[in-house]
């Protein structure tokens, strides 16, 4: 029987280095494909139907949406990301890929909804609307001090997106830490990575955690 692939997620506040580290991981996993199997790299919000509405909202190109509506849109986008069937040309959903032996790495997943939307919306309800989401084999949470992530965002962005406000991001960062702690106590494999170091050092820790998960 075909062995299932592993599902790995990278998380953190805006400016924590998710894109840089995902880029490093993609290079390393692709170079080692013959040992670890093929990996599909993806991200949320996706470019599917719900994800496209989310992108407009993040760019503040829609009238402001209630945070409960945002939470539902993110959950809908996630379910579509997990289940969409696609065709020969299009990439298929996460569940299908994993069942067919691919590893999947996603830049953001439900921990983002738990940390970002729980600022204004009840966490239990957010968990409820995400109940059909597949649990990752590994979530890497990049932690950096808020001042550092603000500096990185200022360097790389022209416009601030919806949640890119210092007061929000302080709360979101706290939410990440406490929710990750709670999920760990429920048995989820979440590894917290100190992202406030040289990016190559950070990547060494990521490689370690990913290798352990791939060899399980
Ligand atoms: P990014 O593409 O630059 O990571 O931006 C996505 C933004 O959307 C980022 O601010 C985090 C936010 N977000 C949520 O608020 N909830 C979610 O469930 C996800 C996936 C992202």
């Amino acid at each position: 029987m075909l062995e299932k692939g592993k599902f790995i997620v990278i998380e953190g506040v805006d400016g924590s280095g998710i894109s840089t580290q995902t880029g490093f991981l993609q290079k390393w996993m692709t170079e080692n494909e013959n040992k670890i199997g093929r990996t599909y790299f993806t991200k949320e919000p996706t470019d599917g139907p719900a994800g496209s509405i989310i992108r407009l909202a993040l760019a503040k190109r829609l009238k402001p949406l209630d945070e409960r509506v945002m939470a539902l849109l993110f959950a809908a986008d996630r379910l579509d990301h997990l289940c969409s069937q696609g065709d020969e040309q299009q990439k298929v959903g996460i569940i299908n890929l994993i069942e067919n032996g691919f590893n999947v790495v996603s830049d953001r997943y439900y921990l983002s909804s738990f940390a970002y939307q729980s600022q204004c919306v009840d966490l239990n309800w957010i968990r409820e609307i995400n109940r059909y989401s597949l649990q990752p084999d590994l979530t890497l949470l990049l932690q950096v001090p808020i001042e550092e992530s603000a500096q990185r965002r200022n360097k790389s962005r022209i416009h601030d997106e919806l949640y890119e406000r210092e007061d929000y991001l302080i709360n979101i960062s706290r939410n990440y830490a406490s929710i990750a702690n709670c999920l760990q106590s429920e048995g989820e494999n979440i590894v917290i990575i100190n992202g406030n170091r040289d990016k190559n050092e950070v990547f060494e820790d990521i490689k370690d955690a990913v290798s352990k998960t791939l060899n399980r």
Side-chain angles (χ1 to χ4, degrees):
M1 219 177 73
L2 184 64
E3 210 182 309
K4 279 188 183 178
K6 295 286 197 266
F7 182 27
I8 296 164
V9 169
I10 308 194
E11 287 278 1
V13 292
D14 296 87
S16 59
I18 306 181
S19 314
T20 306
Q21 294 300 329
T22 306
F24 287 172
L25 195 55
Q26 180 156 17
K27 185 166 180 289
W28 177 71
M29 289 181 89
T30 310
E31 282 167 0
N32 290 285
E33 203 169 89
N34 51 355
K35 279 184 250 152
I36 59 185
R38 286 181 65 192
T39 305
Y40 175 62
F41 285 79
T42 183
K43 76 174 291 186
E44 291 188 4
T46 70
D47 53 13
S52 306
I53 300 174
I54 294 171
R55 286 264 162 233
L56 290 173
L58 290 174
K60 302 176 196 161
R61 289 171 61 200
L62 295 179
K63 73 171 177 61
L65 294 172
D66 188 284
E67 272 302 295
R68 288 168 298 185
V69 178
M70 288 303 286
L72 286 166
L73 284 169
F74 279 115
D77 185 41
R78 187 156 302 122
L79 209 48
D80 186 42
H81 197 191
L82 285 159
C83 305
S84 70
Q85 294 301 309
D87 57 28
E88 287 290 293
Q89 262 82 46
Q90 280 181 309
K91 302 282 192 255
V92 290
I94 294 174
I95 291 176
N96 206 318
L97 285 161
I98 286 177
E99 277 171 1
N100 283 291
F102 287 86
N103 302 307
V104 175
V105 174
S106 183
D107 165 341
R108 300 193 179 280
Y109 190 58
Y110 58 49
L111 195 54
S112 283
S113 286
F114 298 170
Y116 280 74
Q117 276 64 58
S118 75
Q119 276 203 104
C120 308
V121 183
D122 175 49
L123 176 61
N124 288 327
W125 181 72
I126 303 171
R127 291 190 70 175
E128 183 57 27
I129 59 176
N130 282 279
R131 71 188 283 194
Y132 296 114
S133 301
L134 180 71
Q135 189 178 106
D137 296 293
L138 169 67
T139 299
L140 298 153
L141 173 57
L142 293 172
Q143 278 189 334
V144 296
I146 284 301
E147 311 77 55
E148 173 64 25
S149 60
Q151 267 186 16
R152 292 185 192 175
R153 284 196 313 279
N154 290 340
K155 269 194 210 154
S156 67
R157 299 265 159 87
I158 306 165
H159 303 294
D160 278 351
E161 285 199 331
L162 190 64
Y163 301 116
E164 294 183 355
R165 277 177 41 180
E166 188 134 351
D167 53 340
Y168 282 2
L169 292 169
I170 291 171
N171 288 333
I172 292 165
S173 182
R174 283 199 201 109
N175 292 345
Y176 261 124
S178 68
I179 298 165
N181 200 274
C182 167
L183 297 182
Q184 281 170 328
S185 69
E186 292 172 12
E188 245 191 89
N189 185 22
I190 301 180
V191 174
I192 295 175
I193 307 271
N194 172 6
N196 194 25
R197 291 174 292 165
D198 174 79
K199 52 192 175 197
N200 296 307
E201 258 178 67
V202 175
F203 185 59
E204 284 305 308
D205 285 1
I206 291 187
K207 219 163 51 178
D208 259 16
V210 169
S211 303
K212 280 188 194 128
T213 296
L214 293 174
N215 293 326
R216 268 206 318 225

